[in-house]
Amino acid sequence: MKPVKEIVEKLIEELQKATGIRIKPAWISPGDRVPLITLLMHDSELRPIDMSGKLVYDLRFQVDIWHQSAKARDEAFDNILRHFEDNKNRFHESYGWFDIRFTGITDIEEEGVFRKIVMLRLRVVG
């Protein structure tokens, strides 16, 4: 069994590598400065594979990209997509991640801050 905390820490590390933006595993707070990426676990399901004791984790995260402009926000998201596509084999070999999908993409402008909400689904064997 793989600790969920370890999966979240690796996800934060990879999002940081992709964008160079600070990642916060919580909701945005007063005083936080943009650019910022917030990460919240939205849903999870754990299923046994067989008698081996291994599990398949089906994890869903809400990734919010907060930036000063729509262009910079979209570039950050493009960098994430490219990073995950370019490294999918490494993710599978190193972390056991597979079936990584970005869904439910929504753009919002709030008080001069540009935000992109992305639902990220990934499966993990552990």
mmCIF file with all atom_site columns, all heavy atoms in Angstrom, residues 5 10 16-17 19-20 29 38 41 53 65 69 81 101 121 124:
data_model
loop_
_atom_site.group_PDB
_atom_site.id
_atom_site.type_symbol
_atom_site.label_atom_id
_atom_site.label_alt_id
_atom_site.label_comp_id
_atom_site.label_asym_id
_atom_site.label_entity_id
_atom_site.label_seq_id
_atom_site.pdbx_PDB_ins_code
_atom_site.Cartn_x
_atom_site.Cartn_y
_atom_site.Cartn_z
_atom_site.occupancy
_atom_site.B_iso_or_equiv
_atom_site.pdbx_formal_charge
_atom_site.auth_seq_id
_atom_site.auth_comp_id
_atom_site.auth_asym_id
_atom_site.auth_atom_id
_atom_site.pdbx_PDB_model_num
ATOM 1   N N   . LYS A 1 5   ? -0.329  10.512 1.099   1.00 0.00 ? 5   LYS A N   1
ATOM 2   C CA  . LYS A 1 5   ? 0.525   11.688 1.332   1.00 0.00 ? 5   LYS A CA  1
ATOM 3   C C   . LYS A 1 5   ? 1.718   11.691 0.369   1.00 0.00 ? 5   LYS A C   1
ATOM 4   O O   . LYS A 1 5   ? 2.080   12.727 -0.179  1.00 0.00 ? 5   LYS A O   1
ATOM 5   C CB  . LYS A 1 5   ? 1.011   11.695 2.777   1.00 0.00 ? 5   LYS A CB  1
ATOM 6   C CG  . LYS A 1 5   ? 1.916   12.847 3.109   1.00 0.00 ? 5   LYS A CG  1
ATOM 7   C CD  . LYS A 1 5   ? 2.417   12.781 4.535   1.00 0.00 ? 5   LYS A CD  1
ATOM 8   C CE  . LYS A 1 5   ? 3.337   13.947 4.778   1.00 0.00 ? 5   LYS A CE  1
ATOM 9   N NZ  . LYS A 1 5   ? 4.446   13.635 5.619   1.00 0.00 ? 5   LYS A NZ  1
ATOM 10  N N   . LYS A 1 10  ? 4.470   13.969 -4.447  1.00 0.00 ? 10  LYS A N   1
ATOM 11  C CA  . LYS A 1 10  ? 5.060   13.811 -5.790  1.00 0.00 ? 10  LYS A CA  1
ATOM 12  C C   . LYS A 1 10  ? 4.292   14.647 -6.817  1.00 0.00 ? 10  LYS A C   1
ATOM 13  O O   . LYS A 1 10  ? 4.890   15.239 -7.713  1.00 0.00 ? 10  LYS A O   1
ATOM 14  C CB  . LYS A 1 10  ? 5.090   12.339 -6.213  1.00 0.00 ? 10  LYS A CB  1
ATOM 15  C CG  . LYS A 1 10  ? 6.073   11.515 -5.440  1.00 0.00 ? 10  LYS A CG  1
ATOM 16  C CD  . LYS A 1 10  ? 7.486   11.994 -5.662  1.00 0.00 ? 10  LYS A CD  1
ATOM 17  C CE  . LYS A 1 10  ? 8.493   11.167 -4.906  1.00 0.00 ? 10  LYS A CE  1
ATOM 18  N NZ  . LYS A 1 10  ? 9.826   11.779 -4.921  1.00 0.00 ? 10  LYS A NZ  1
ATOM 19  N N   . GLN A 1 16  ? 5.235   21.732 -9.696  1.00 0.00 ? 16  GLN A N   1
ATOM 20  C CA  . GLN A 1 16  ? 6.258   22.768 -9.493  1.00 0.00 ? 16  GLN A CA  1
ATOM 21  C C   . GLN A 1 16  ? 7.289   22.734 -10.618 1.00 0.00 ? 16  GLN A C   1
ATOM 22  O O   . GLN A 1 16  ? 7.656   23.765 -11.170 1.00 0.00 ? 16  GLN A O   1
ATOM 23  C CB  . GLN A 1 16  ? 6.936   22.558 -8.133  1.00 0.00 ? 16  GLN A CB  1
ATOM 24  C CG  . GLN A 1 16  ? 8.101   23.480 -7.859  1.00 0.00 ? 16  GLN A CG  1
ATOM 25  C CD  . GLN A 1 16  ? 7.692   24.898 -7.574  1.00 0.00 ? 16  GLN A CD  1
ATOM 26  O OE1 . GLN A 1 16  ? 6.791   25.109 -6.797  1.00 0.00 ? 16  GLN A OE1 1
ATOM 27  N NE2 . GLN A 1 16  ? 8.336   25.858 -8.197  1.00 0.00 ? 16  GLN A NE2 1
ATOM 28  N N   . LYS A 1 17  ? 7.748   21.525 -10.978 1.00 0.00 ? 17  LYS A N   1
ATOM 29  C CA  . LYS A 1 17  ? 8.709   21.381 -12.078 1.00 0.00 ? 17  LYS A CA  1
ATOM 30  C C   . LYS A 1 17  ? 8.114   21.900 -13.386 1.00 0.00 ? 17  LYS A C   1
ATOM 31  O O   . LYS A 1 17  ? 8.815   22.514 -14.187 1.00 0.00 ? 17  LYS A O   1
ATOM 32  C CB  . LYS A 1 17  ? 9.096   19.911 -12.266 1.00 0.00 ? 17  LYS A CB  1
ATOM 33  C CG  . LYS A 1 17  ? 10.068  19.374 -11.272 1.00 0.00 ? 17  LYS A CG  1
ATOM 34  C CD  . LYS A 1 17  ? 10.362  17.915 -11.615 1.00 0.00 ? 17  LYS A CD  1
ATOM 35  C CE  . LYS A 1 17  ? 11.116  17.211 -10.525 1.00 0.00 ? 17  LYS A CE  1
ATOM 36  N NZ  . LYS A 1 17  ? 11.291  15.769 -10.814 1.00 0.00 ? 17  LYS A NZ  1
ATOM 37  N N   . THR A 1 19  ? 5.823   24.213 -13.925 1.00 0.00 ? 19  THR A N   1
ATOM 38  C CA  . THR A 1 19  ? 5.459   25.625 -14.016 1.00 0.00 ? 19  THR A CA  1
ATOM 39  C C   . THR A 1 19  ? 6.433   26.596 -13.362 1.00 0.00 ? 19  THR A C   1
ATOM 40  O O   . THR A 1 19  ? 6.467   27.762 -13.730 1.00 0.00 ? 19  THR A O   1
ATOM 41  C CB  . THR A 1 19  ? 4.089   25.866 -13.355 1.00 0.00 ? 19  THR A CB  1
ATOM 42  O OG1 . THR A 1 19  ? 4.181   25.552 -11.963 1.00 0.00 ? 19  THR A OG1 1
ATOM 43  C CG2 . THR A 1 19  ? 2.999   25.048 -14.025 1.00 0.00 ? 19  THR A CG2 1
ATOM 44  N N   . GLY A 1 20  ? 7.164   26.142 -12.359 1.00 0.00 ? 20  GLY A N   1
ATOM 45  C CA  . GLY A 1 20  ? 7.996   27.056 -11.579 1.00 0.00 ? 20  GLY A CA  1
ATOM 46  C C   . GLY A 1 20  ? 7.177   27.914 -10.635 1.00 0.00 ? 20  GLY A C   1
ATOM 47  O O   . GLY A 1 20  ? 7.696   28.835 -10.013 1.00 0.00 ? 20  GLY A O   1
ATOM 48  N N   . SER A 1 29  ? -5.640  31.713 0.471   1.00 0.00 ? 29  SER A N   1
ATOM 49  C CA  . SER A 1 29  ? -5.943  32.433 1.707   1.00 0.00 ? 29  SER A CA  1
ATOM 50  C C   . SER A 1 29  ? -5.680  33.913 1.515   1.00 0.00 ? 29  SER A C   1
ATOM 51  O O   . SER A 1 29  ? -4.893  34.304 0.642   1.00 0.00 ? 29  SER A O   1
ATOM 52  C CB  . SER A 1 29  ? -5.043  31.941 2.842   1.00 0.00 ? 29  SER A CB  1
ATOM 53  O OG  . SER A 1 29  ? -5.148  30.566 3.026   1.00 0.00 ? 29  SER A OG  1
ATOM 54  N N   . THR A 1 38  ? -3.177  26.101 -6.448  1.00 0.00 ? 38  THR A N   1
ATOM 55  C CA  . THR A 1 38  ? -3.716  25.405 -5.283  1.00 0.00 ? 38  THR A CA  1
ATOM 56  C C   . THR A 1 38  ? -4.157  24.010 -5.714  1.00 0.00 ? 38  THR A C   1
ATOM 57  O O   . THR A 1 38  ? -4.616  23.806 -6.839  1.00 0.00 ? 38  THR A O   1
ATOM 58  C CB  . THR A 1 38  ? -4.888  26.178 -4.644  1.00 0.00 ? 38  THR A CB  1
ATOM 59  O OG1 . THR A 1 38  ? -5.892  26.442 -5.625  1.00 0.00 ? 38  THR A OG1 1
ATOM 60  C CG2 . THR A 1 38  ? -4.418  27.489 -4.043  1.00 0.00 ? 38  THR A CG2 1
ATOM 61  N N   . MET A 1 41  ? -7.629  17.620 -2.960  1.00 0.00 ? 41  MET A N   1
ATOM 62  C CA  . MET A 1 41  ? -8.124  16.304 -3.359  1.00 0.00 ? 41  MET A CA  1
ATOM 63  C C   . MET A 1 41  ? -9.642  16.393 -3.412  1.00 0.00 ? 41  MET A C   1
ATOM 64  O O   . MET A 1 41  ? -10.286 16.802 -2.456  1.00 0.00 ? 41  MET A O   1
ATOM 65  C CB  . MET A 1 41  ? -7.695  15.201 -2.406  1.00 0.00 ? 41  MET A CB  1
ATOM 66  C CG  . MET A 1 41  ? -8.124  13.834 -2.921  1.00 0.00 ? 41  MET A CG  1
ATOM 67  S SD  . MET A 1 41  ? -7.563  12.458 -1.933  1.00 0.00 ? 41  MET A SD  1
ATOM 68  C CE  . MET A 1 41  ? -5.849  12.397 -2.376  1.00 0.00 ? 41  MET A CE  1
ATOM 69  N N   . GLY A 1 53  ? -2.312  -7.876 -2.364  1.00 0.00 ? 53  GLY A N   1
ATOM 70  C CA  . GLY A 1 53  ? -2.263  -6.795 -1.382  1.00 0.00 ? 53  GLY A CA  1
ATOM 71  C C   . GLY A 1 53  ? -2.058  -5.435 -2.015  1.00 0.00 ? 53  GLY A C   1
ATOM 72  O O   . GLY A 1 53  ? -2.045  -4.418 -1.326  1.00 0.00 ? 53  GLY A O   1
ATOM 73  N N   . ILE A 1 65  ? -5.171  27.281 -11.046 1.00 0.00 ? 65  ILE A N   1
ATOM 74  C CA  . ILE A 1 65  ? -4.022  28.090 -11.453 1.00 0.00 ? 65  ILE A CA  1
ATOM 75  C C   . ILE A 1 65  ? -4.455  29.549 -11.339 1.00 0.00 ? 65  ILE A C   1
ATOM 76  O O   . ILE A 1 65  ? -5.396  29.972 -12.015 1.00 0.00 ? 65  ILE A O   1
ATOM 77  C CB  . ILE A 1 65  ? -3.588  27.769 -12.896 1.00 0.00 ? 65  ILE A CB  1
ATOM 78  C CG1 . ILE A 1 65  ? -3.273  26.281 -13.031 1.00 0.00 ? 65  ILE A CG1 1
ATOM 79  C CG2 . ILE A 1 65  ? -2.399  28.641 -13.306 1.00 0.00 ? 65  ILE A CG2 1
ATOM 80  C CD1 . ILE A 1 65  ? -3.115  25.810 -14.462 1.00 0.00 ? 65  ILE A CD1 1
ATOM 81  N N   . SER A 1 69  ? -2.610  37.407 -15.424 1.00 0.00 ? 69  SER A N   1
ATOM 82  C CA  . SER A 1 69  ? -3.206  37.596 -16.754 1.00 0.00 ? 69  SER A CA  1
ATOM 83  C C   . SER A 1 69  ? -3.717  36.256 -17.275 1.00 0.00 ? 69  SER A C   1
ATOM 84  O O   . SER A 1 69  ? -3.234  35.187 -16.874 1.00 0.00 ? 69  SER A O   1
ATOM 85  C CB  . SER A 1 69  ? -2.183  38.172 -17.736 1.00 0.00 ? 69  SER A CB  1
ATOM 86  O OG  . SER A 1 69  ? -1.220  37.198 -18.099 1.00 0.00 ? 69  SER A OG  1
ATOM 87  N N   . LEU A 1 81  ? 0.379   20.516 -19.084 1.00 0.00 ? 81  LEU A N   1
ATOM 88  C CA  . LEU A 1 81  ? -0.005  19.488 -20.065 1.00 0.00 ? 81  LEU A CA  1
ATOM 89  C C   . LEU A 1 81  ? 1.217   18.890 -20.750 1.00 0.00 ? 81  LEU A C   1
ATOM 90  O O   . LEU A 1 81  ? 1.339   17.666 -20.867 1.00 0.00 ? 81  LEU A O   1
ATOM 91  C CB  . LEU A 1 81  ? -0.942  20.079 -21.119 1.00 0.00 ? 81  LEU A CB  1
ATOM 92  C CG  . LEU A 1 81  ? -2.356  20.424 -20.685 1.00 0.00 ? 81  LEU A CG  1
ATOM 93  C CD1 . LEU A 1 81  ? -3.108  21.090 -21.835 1.00 0.00 ? 81  LEU A CD1 1
ATOM 94  C CD2 . LEU A 1 81  ? -3.095  19.185 -20.214 1.00 0.00 ? 81  LEU A CD2 1
ATOM 95  N N   . ARG A 1 101 ? -5.560  12.176 -16.602 1.00 0.00 ? 101 ARG A N   1
ATOM 96  C CA  . ARG A 1 101 ? -6.485  12.942 -17.449 1.00 0.00 ? 101 ARG A CA  1
ATOM 97  C C   . ARG A 1 101 ? -6.783  14.296 -16.829 1.00 0.00 ? 101 ARG A C   1
ATOM 98  O O   . ARG A 1 101 ? -6.971  14.405 -15.622 1.00 0.00 ? 101 ARG A O   1
ATOM 99  C CB  . ARG A 1 101 ? -7.803  12.193 -17.608 1.00 0.00 ? 101 ARG A CB  1
ATOM 100 C CG  . ARG A 1 101 ? -7.654  10.870 -18.287 1.00 0.00 ? 101 ARG A CG  1
ATOM 101 C CD  . ARG A 1 101 ? -8.969  10.168 -18.359 1.00 0.00 ? 101 ARG A CD  1
ATOM 102 N NE  . ARG A 1 101 ? -8.744  8.806  -18.831 1.00 0.00 ? 101 ARG A NE  1
ATOM 103 C CZ  . ARG A 1 101 ? -9.620  8.140  -19.515 1.00 0.00 ? 101 ARG A CZ  1
ATOM 104 N NH1 . ARG A 1 101 ? -10.778 8.660  -19.797 1.00 0.00 ? 101 ARG A NH1 1
ATOM 105 N NH2 . ARG A 1 101 ? -9.359  6.917  -19.903 1.00 0.00 ? 101 ARG A NH2 1
ATOM 106 N N   . ARG A 1 121 ? -7.384  13.766 -12.922 1.00 0.00 ? 121 ARG A N   1
ATOM 107 C CA  . ARG A 1 121 ? -7.633  12.389 -12.466 1.00 0.00 ? 121 ARG A CA  1
ATOM 108 C C   . ARG A 1 121 ? -6.405  11.575 -12.776 1.00 0.00 ? 121 ARG A C   1
ATOM 109 O O   . ARG A 1 121 ? -5.864  11.641 -13.877 1.00 0.00 ? 121 ARG A O   1
ATOM 110 C CB  . ARG A 1 121 ? -8.829  11.801 -13.205 1.00 0.00 ? 121 ARG A CB  1
ATOM 111 C CG  . ARG A 1 121 ? -9.029  10.339 -12.866 1.00 0.00 ? 121 ARG A CG  1
ATOM 112 C CD  . ARG A 1 121 ? -10.090 9.743  -13.751 1.00 0.00 ? 121 ARG A CD  1
ATOM 113 N NE  . ARG A 1 121 ? -10.230 8.335  -13.430 1.00 0.00 ? 121 ARG A NE  1
ATOM 114 C CZ  . ARG A 1 121 ? -10.544 7.428  -14.318 1.00 0.00 ? 121 ARG A CZ  1
ATOM 115 N NH1 . ARG A 1 121 ? -10.762 7.769  -15.568 1.00 0.00 ? 121 ARG A NH1 1
ATOM 116 N NH2 . ARG A 1 121 ? -10.661 6.180  -13.963 1.00 0.00 ? 121 ARG A NH2 1
ATOM 117 N N   . VAL A 1 124 ? -3.178  5.120  -9.702  1.00 0.00 ? 124 VAL A N   1
ATOM 118 C CA  . VAL A 1 124 ? -1.888  4.701  -9.167  1.00 0.00 ? 124 VAL A CA  1
ATOM 119 C C   . VAL A 1 124 ? -1.989  3.257  -8.722  1.00 0.00 ? 124 VAL A C   1
ATOM 120 O O   . VAL A 1 124 ? -2.987  2.865  -8.115  1.00 0.00 ? 124 VAL A O   1
ATOM 121 C CB  . VAL A 1 124 ? -1.478  5.582  -7.957  1.00 0.00 ? 124 VAL A CB  1
ATOM 122 C CG1 . VAL A 1 124 ? -0.115  5.181  -7.433  1.00 0.00 ? 124 VAL A CG1 1
ATOM 123 C CG2 . VAL A 1 124 ? -1.534  7.057  -8.289  1.00 0.00 ? 124 VAL A CG2 1
#
